[in-house]
Amino acid sequence: MSPFSTILRKLSGVGTATIAQATQSAANFMVTMLAARMLGLEALGLFSLLYGSFILATGIISGFVGDSLMVLDRFNARIRTALFGWALVLLLFVGAASLGCSLLGTGFSLGSAALYALAAISYVAEDLVRRNHMATLTFARIVAMDMVVLVAASGMILGTAWRGTPSLETFLIAIIIGQTAGLVLGWVTLPRAERQWTYAPAAWRAVAGYGIWRSALQALRPGQLTLNRLLIIAVVSLSAAGSLEATRIYAAPAMLVVSGVCSYLFASMARRMGGTLAEQLRETDKAVLRLGLVTVACAVIGVAVLPWGGPLITGHALSALAVTGWLAYALAVAMATPYGLLASVLERARAVFAVRLLDTLLSLALVAAVIVLTSDYRWVPWAAALGSMAGGYAIRRWVLGTLIREASDGYRTALGNFTRTEDAAVPGKEERFS
């Protein structure tokens, strides 16, 4: 294959992955935008907290099951049984926790709490099927899933608005309908080999040994954002949380570009581990530089069109300070995340979690200091960006640097017979990537 063809193939993969991330973000954006316009600014603050809980639960379970599915040998019968088993257990836990928390913390009736629990389960389950498509790099099918989610959920909300005034329960029902439709489409379009399962004694520990650290890591960023919202609501006001959420929604395109590229990077890193650690790190450095430049370009465009773009998208005049803060946060994530992905693929998820936990605590401390000392919510994303940048530097400098110094002969696995076997003779291998 010529160098030009290789470049085109990589650009195509990154582009499709970014589009897949964009369509998922578009579905989320449509729901939150309709909530902002139909439920009011204060209700947006509450809805963002509830919706953020979906994101948090999805990060935890997708990290535990989804990332294990991508990195471990999911065609090993014992690993496959454990993946299915853990998915079922965690989905039931999410449903029970959502039901209990919504009854205790929101004043929901039993019916509304049940809707919230079903919405959480459907949201997480649909994302697990998305992760399976990511593992096979079939991002075009993810786009189709997200479009079904978008049409079904927004159609439900707009149809209700046409007949009357939507309630919070309307949005929960729309989420259930949309996510379930996307889940069904995603499942039936998976390659046959991905849907087959032969029972074997489950390798619970092998999956948990890797997944628990990835799930903890995936929970840090949405967990941090949720705690930020709670701090703002407690110290400033619910409307301030809504205003900050509106600025985050406006800056979301920059973050979705970052997320899309990182989704592709993680999937491609998990499948292709050729070369020495030093070579892999140099490739990651190049990816970080390119992603940073693209994010800066998105930020420049976002700031340029803010005066008319902000009211058009959110229906509110937006703070330039808060918007640029979210754009800086997106840049910080772009500069930090690829290093964490590489270290996780190299089975150093525990070390990555330790560093990311420290940078999350640093971010929360800075956010709390800003809110308590100034009561100005607009500085929150700037404080969060500082912590993220510090974490990325630490992973690059100490976690990956230590690996290179310790492993002069390249990558060594620590999970025995349960690691990836992309080049092994696996039944249905050719078909599963179709």
Side-chain angles (χ1 to χ4, degrees):
M1 183 179 293
S2 68
F4 181 70
S5 298
T6 301
I7 292 173
L8 285 179
R9 180 173 55 82
K10 289 184 178 181
L11 288 175
S12 176
V14 173
T16 309
T18 303
I19 293 172
Q21 191 67 36
T23 52
Q24 183 187 40
S25 298
N28 294 337
F29 173 77
M30 178 62 72
V31 172
T32 54
M33 184 183 71
L34 291 174
R37 291 184 173 274
M38 297 180 182
L39 299 179
L41 193 58
E42 286 196 2
L44 176 62
L46 176 60
F47 183 76
S48 68
L49 185 61
L50 297 175
Y51 207 70
S53 300
F54 293 160
I55 307 298
L56 177 59
T58 300
I60 293 173
I61 298 181
S62 290
F64 195 107
V65 178
D67 288 357
S68 297
L69 180 149
M70 295 172 71
V71 173
L72 304 181
D73 178 17
R74 62 187 179 277
F75 292 96
N76 179 291
R78 295 185 61 197
I79 290 291
R80 198 168 189 80
T81 300
L83 289 171
F84 275 106
W86 277 120
L88 179 60
V89 169
L90 293 173
L91 284 172
L92 291 175
F93 175 79
V94 164
S98 299
L99 181 67
C101 292
S102 58
L103 283 173
L104 295 175
T106 64
F108 276 179
S109 66
L110 180 59
S112 298
L115 286 176
Y116 181 65
L118 289 174
I121 291 173
S122 63
Y123 196 98
V124 173
E126 191 268 351
D127 191 76
L128 287 177
V129 177
R130 290 181 93 258
R131 289 297 182 118
N132 207 155
H133 279 291
M134 287 181 189
T136 60
L137 301 183
T138 50
F139 291 101
R141 297 174 188 178
I142 296 177
V143 173
M145 290 174 59
D146 294 337
M147 294 307 297
V148 168
V149 172
L150 173 61
V151 172
S154 59
M156 170 65 189
I157 296 169
L158 293 173
T160 304
W162 183 66
R163 295 193 304 268
T165 302
S167 64
L168 188 57
E169 287 76 7
T170 302
F171 284 83
L172 295 177
I173 293 172
I175 291 170
I176 294 170
I177 293 174
Q179 297 299 127
T180 302
L183 185 154
V184 171
L185 177 63
W187 180 258
V188 300
T189 56
L190 278 172
R192 185 179 296 108
E194 298 288 342
R195 289 181 275 121
Q196 293 176 344
W197 173 43
T198 301
Y199 176 78
W204 298 101
R205 288 189 177 182
V207 172
Y210 180 83
I212 192 170
W213 297 108
R214 283 298 298 170
S215 65
L217 179 63
Q218 293 279 19
L220 288 178
R221 186 166 289 127
Q224 175 191 327
L225 294 176
T226 299
L227 289 175
N228 289 346
R229 296 181 182 111
L230 288 173
L231 280 171
I232 295 170
I233 292 171
V235 178
V236 187
S237 68
L238 189 59
S239 61
S243 297
L244 186 63
E245 183 68 13
T247 59
R248 189 196 64 80
I249 291 171
Y250 176 79
M255 184 61 80
L256 73 87
V257 170
V258 174
S259 300
V261 174
C262 289
S263 296
Y264 176 81
L265 286 175
F266 185 62
S268 60
M269 287 174 181
R271 290 183 61 190
R272 290 183 289 273
M273 288 299 298
T276 65
L277 292 178
E279 291 170 346
Q280 294 165 31
L281 183 56
R282 282 194 295 270
E283 288 298 316
T284 304
D285 287 336
K286 294 176 184 178
V288 167
L289 178 60
R290 291 191 292 265
L291 182 55
L293 292 174
V294 171
T295 307
V296 169
C298 292
V300 171
I301 295 172
V303 172
V305 302
L306 176 61
W308 59 270
L312 177 65
I313 293 175
T314 67
H316 304 281
L318 302 179
S319 163
L321 179 61
V323 168
T324 52
W326 285 120
L327 293 172
Y329 181 72
L331 179 60
V333 172
M335 302 297 286
T337 301
Y339 295 120
L341 297 178
L342 178 60
S344 295
V345 169
L346 294 173
E347 300 174 12
R348 293 300 184 272
R350 184 182 304 184
V352 174
F353 172 75
V355 174
R356 284 297 323 284
L357 177 61
L358 291 175
D359 82 54
T360 298
L361 293 175
L362 174 61
S363 295
L364 287 172
L366 293 173
V367 167
V370 164
I371 295 175
V372 171
L373 295 177
T374 70
S375 296
D376 190 345
Y377 68 89
R378 297 175 300 172
W379 288 103
V380 166
W382 287 100
L386 288 176
S388 183
M389 284 292 289
Y393 174 79
I395 293 172
R396 171 67 173 80
R397 177 68 176 82
W398 287 296
V399 178
L400 293 173
T402 299
L403 269 177
I404 291 175
R405 289 191 295 271
E406 291 178 350
S408 60
D409 58 345
Y411 173 62
R412 289 291 182 269
T413 182
L415 294 179
N417 295 327
F418 297 128
T419 50
R420 289 167 279 106
T421 57
E422 292 298 337
D423 297 322
V426 179
K429 178 182 176 183
E430 292 78 9
E431 189 270 342
R432 78 181 195 243
F433 295 120
S434 62

